[in-house]
Amino acid sequence: TNSHLKTMHDLLKPEKGILLFQAETYNIPSNLDEIKKWRTDLSEIGFEKVRYGSISIGTYPTGQIGFYIAHTEEDPNDEKVCKDESTCDDFGMMDWLDWSAISQYFNDMPGKTKYYHPRIHRSSFDLPLWVEEFIFSDGVDTETDR
């Protein structure tokens, strides 16, 4: 509920506070409506930066589950919106992360994972265009624009 999300927002540090939670699959229409509602609610509550990400989960009924990451403070170095290939550089949408440090940490791990690797981390915010347009555009008719 909004009161719960507002309480979570108020508990976070005003600078550098981050809320992360599981946020349904975009493959089920009723979930997609809720995903968009959460984005609106999080923004209205006062989160400055709200992003929906997606990961593949083979054991989940639709094979995909989403999550929200909401920041209490906007970072001007955060996301660059890519409208076409000419405006996108190599993973420039997430400049604020130190990918070399993430890759180095991954390479230095004593064991190896069977699933995670830095490219999966980067790509989790690359959504199908129709999902991104639905979640992040205002005034979309949820019944006719799917």
Side-chain angles (χ1 to χ4, degrees), residues 76-127:
N77 297 317
D78 191 351
E79 173 190 340
K80 296 177 183 171
V81 177
C82 297
K83 295 296 183 188
D84 59 49
E85 289 298 319
S86 66
T87 62
C88 295
D89 57 15
D90 188 27
F91 300 108
M93 289 181 66
M94 300 191 64
D95 286 346
W96 55 280
L97 286 175
D98 183 351
W99 291 111
S100 62
I102 291 171
S103 292
Q104 187 63 49
Y105 181 78
F106 176 75
N107 291 331
D108 291 346
M109 288 185 337
K112 295 297 176 195
T113 68
K114 292 183 185 248
Y115 182 83
Y116 176 84
H117 56 85
R119 290 185 324 276
I120 288 247
H121 191 132
R122 285 188 217 178
S123 68
S124 66
F125 294 96
D126 293 336
L127 302 172

Side-chain angles (χ1 to χ4, degrees), residues 16-28:
K16 307 294 182 190
I18 298 173
L19 174 65
L20 177 69
F21 64 94
Q22 181 178 328
E24 305 297 347
T25 175
Y26 57 70
N27 290 307
I28 299 174

Side-chain angles (χ1 to χ4, degrees), residues 31-145:
N31 286 358
L32 190 58
D33 292 334
E34 191 65 21
I35 291 166
K36 183 168 184 162
K37 181 182 177 309
W38 279 332
R39 196 261 316 172
T40 301
D41 292 347
L42 290 165
S43 295
E44 288 176 356
I45 285 166
F47 285 98
E48 295 294 324
K49 184 70 182 166
V50 178
R51 290 298 298 162
Y52 177 82
S54 175
I55 55 175
S56 298
I57 303 289
T59 57
Y60 195 73
T62 64
Q64 177 272 330
I65 192 69
F67 59 91
Y68 262 112
I69 183 166
H71 299 258
T72 57
E73 179 181 62
E74 179 84 32
D75 182 347
N77 297 317
D78 191 351
E79 173 190 340
K80 296 177 183 171
V81 177
C82 297
K83 295 296 183 188
D84 59 49
E85 289 298 319
S86 66
T87 62
C88 295
D89 57 15
D90 188 27
F91 300 108
M93 289 181 66
M94 300 191 64
D95 286 346
W96 55 280
L97 286 175
D98 183 351
W99 291 111
S100 62
I102 291 171
S103 292
Q104 187 63 49
Y105 181 78
F106 176 75
N107 291 331
D108 291 346
M109 288 185 337
K112 295 297 176 195
T113 68
K114 292 183 185 248
Y115 182 83
Y116 176 84
H117 56 85
R119 290 185 324 276
I120 288 247
H121 191 132
R122 285 188 217 178
S123 68
S124 66
F125 294 96
D126 293 336
L127 302 172
L129 184 59
W130 68 270
V131 174
E132 187 166 301
E133 288 176 346
F134 182 86
I135 295 170
F136 293 101
S137 66
D138 293 323
V140 173
D141 181 341
T142 61
E143 295 302 315
T144 60
D145 289 342

